Amino acid sequence: MIGTLTRRSMRARAGRNIFIGLAIMLGVSFVAGSFVLADSLKATFDNLFTELNQDVDFQVRTELTVDSNDAVRDPVPASLAEEIAQVDGVSLVEGGLARYAQLLQPDGEPVSTRGAPALGLSWSGPDSFAGVVLKDGRAPNGIGEVVIDKATADRVGFAVGDPIDIVFDGGQQSFTIVGLVGLGNSDGFGGATTALFDPESAQTVLDAAGQFDVIDLQIAEGADPAAVQAAVEQILPDRLEVVTGEQVGEETADSINSVISIFGTGLLVFAFVTAFVSAFIINNVFGITISQRLRELALLRAVGANSRQIRKLIIVEALIISVTATIVGVFGGLFVANALIALFDAAGAGFPPTPLQMQFRTVVVAAVVGVGITLLSVLIPAGRAARIPPVAAMRPETGFGALSANRRLVRGVVITAVGTAMFLIGLFFQPGGSSGLIAFAGGGALAIFLGVSSVSSTVARPVSAFIGAPVRRLFGVPGQLAVDNAGRVPRRTARTASALMIGVAMVSAAAVFASSLRDTFGRVLDRAITADYVITDESFQGLPPAIGERIAAVPEISAVSPFRPFKLTSDGSDETAFAIDPITFPDLADLGIDDGDYQGLVDGDGVMLLDSEAEDRAVGVGDTLNVTWQNGVDSTLTVSGLFTEQGLPGTWYVSTATLESVSDQPPRDQFVLARLADGADPDVARFEINDAIAEYPQAEVRSNAEFRAEQEGQINQLLAVITGLLSMAMAIAVIGIAITLALSVFERTREIGLLRAVGTTRRQLKRAIRWESVIVSVFGAVVGVAVGLLLGVALSYAVPNTVIDGITLPFGTVIAVLIGSVAAGVVAAVYPARKASRMDVLRAITTE
């Protein structure tokens, strides 16, 4: 019986079921796609680095004493390769170099790496065991020859035999492309642009005479790996180590996978927001349809169906829809992940052709999201259906009652209060660390949304009337119909609007946080950076010291300082120290010196500390700190001064002389600060700076104001990305409005027929439904903006004052959201309005 009724019911309501399934499918696709993409990228790089190191038995390198993905190891002496080659059991030794090498297009502009590194590598040719595969041409041989990766060549248009200019730390040089390579089956190097030279030429052009970054070795067949490793260790100088090739591959893959995990987690946050919005729509749609099926369900009760069978009927319908939508959604996740990887490849990433990874965990999570959330969403509607008395078949008004407005209000206030308390506890107290933050703040936010949705149902009628007042005055009868229909069933209106409210609230909260962060950052930069120019590198690989040296020689410039990062460990914690020129730096930046000065950095091994950092370590000016630099060198630094401003990154500052005394690492400047000489013409100075560094087109010279605008622009880009990811949830909310309106049109079939019979035109009917949709959308947007602004203010106050020192309300975003909600309402009403206007008048009038 249940099976037959279910089939007939679903066939009779196919359009509704398709829309519900679409909402479920989109949520599942986003969730499954996030897992598939992260798992596939991890597998891609795991396989890539396994292949790259599969022929490397051991690697000799300098030690690294900090746990950091961006720390660079000191080089090893190239002469050590000859000693290692003499060790019994070693069959092959190969030195490796990886330094900065920026490829230039034929017009002299840098080849874009889109954030990936621009690498220059040493390569012994096809017989090398470095995992590099020759795709076309031959290996390089001599100072004027180079091989580049095929992915970059295809993207830019280079071919074997073409000339190419390459920028190194020492300037530009010209080469001839003699070959194209890739890693294994891939044509690229994970997105990096790559230039390869024979080992002897590489040491020359990469300014690494007598050095290698690492030394790889293979052992002879039958040799004992442990014995070979012990023998190599015996001849190594201090601060060098020998590790297995397998360990090198795992470490490299782990460093990449940690970034991918963060990326995947971020996607999942937005995916679950989408699923949460879908749950609102599913619950609302099933609630409406059960109300519309009141007589049908009551007749089933009258002919013998019990409450359990009625409940089962509703749940089975939901189960069939959700299972079908989940299966489609899982395949949709594969499509989403595949499309994103194809997009990355088109942008030059050059990922190896690895099959997508659909793990069992992904299917389970997709089922929990698609089926689990759907079944939870229909429990209340199914329970209401089971309570329908048989007499309702003859007297529908006795069907069932909803909670009274007062009870809904009390329930909503309590849930909102509990959610607010959880949210604030999670933000400001973080019990249990990061896990507590996620559990309390995330759970509290969900409770706030549920509570606000319940509260808004008690005010939906007056708020709808207020929002619709201009519509009523401007459009007469259609406007009045729109207002009346929007307030007719407040609970339905509130739930429909709540789906949109969630997305709008999160966009508004992100906008408050980003606007406050941007304005605080701007104010701090204004105070901290007094330099006239900031020279940066768009590839984030840093700048060679030669750039600062050339700018310092420009007559119109009075002061120049590099800003050079380096890792260290002190009292068991890893820190980043920045090396500066302590003589010129005070003229270029204002750190807000609270005690002491830069003299200790000028005279010797001094360090400037942020005051809170010094307080945590219980040190003051004149005290000493024992540190271990990232390469294992131990030294003692004397606190020279304390500062309070954090407009520039870092809490530790040392002199470039101190850093150079402990490190052989090729220096790279994160950026360079420069100040105009008194009376110098800014236009002339800028021209002279650009002329002095013309050999380094990767360097971007920006004025103080331009640098600030660029940094603020990056925050705006982040907000745009967040808004873009939330657009999926907002799109589902618009679909929910369309579904609700369509069901409402069906519910009002007789009413619409009577309106048409007494003279209402199709145009007036369309206008009434369209403005009803707009009123519901604006209602959701207004509530969402109010909730989002409060959440954003709380988020902004939760971070330290050094990050955000004031609240900025994003009025532009609020206006854009309200305008967008009007547009969303118009779009959502297209199908319901068309359906209503095309009803047969006589048939509609006779509908019961």
Side-chain angles (χ1 to χ4, degrees), residues 172-221:
Q172 285 188 34
Q173 294 187 44
S174 299
F175 298 87
T176 299
I177 299 174
V178 298
L180 304 177
V181 296
L183 274 181
N185 295 326
S186 169
D187 287 341
F189 285 70
T193 60
T194 313
L196 297 91
F197 311 89
D198 65 85
E200 185 175 345
S201 299
Q203 288 185 315
T204 301
V205 300
L206 298 177
D207 193 23
Q211 295 179 336
F212 287 127
D213 290 332
V214 297
I215 298 175
D216 296 326
L217 57 129
Q218 283 183 330
I219 63 175
E221 186 176 351

Side-chain angles (χ1 to χ4, degrees), residues 123 138-147 178 196-201:
W123 185 47
R138 61 176 177 83
N141 184 22
I143 199 69
E145 296 183 348
V146 67
V147 165
V178 298
L196 297 91
F197 311 89
D198 65 85
E200 185 175 345
S201 299

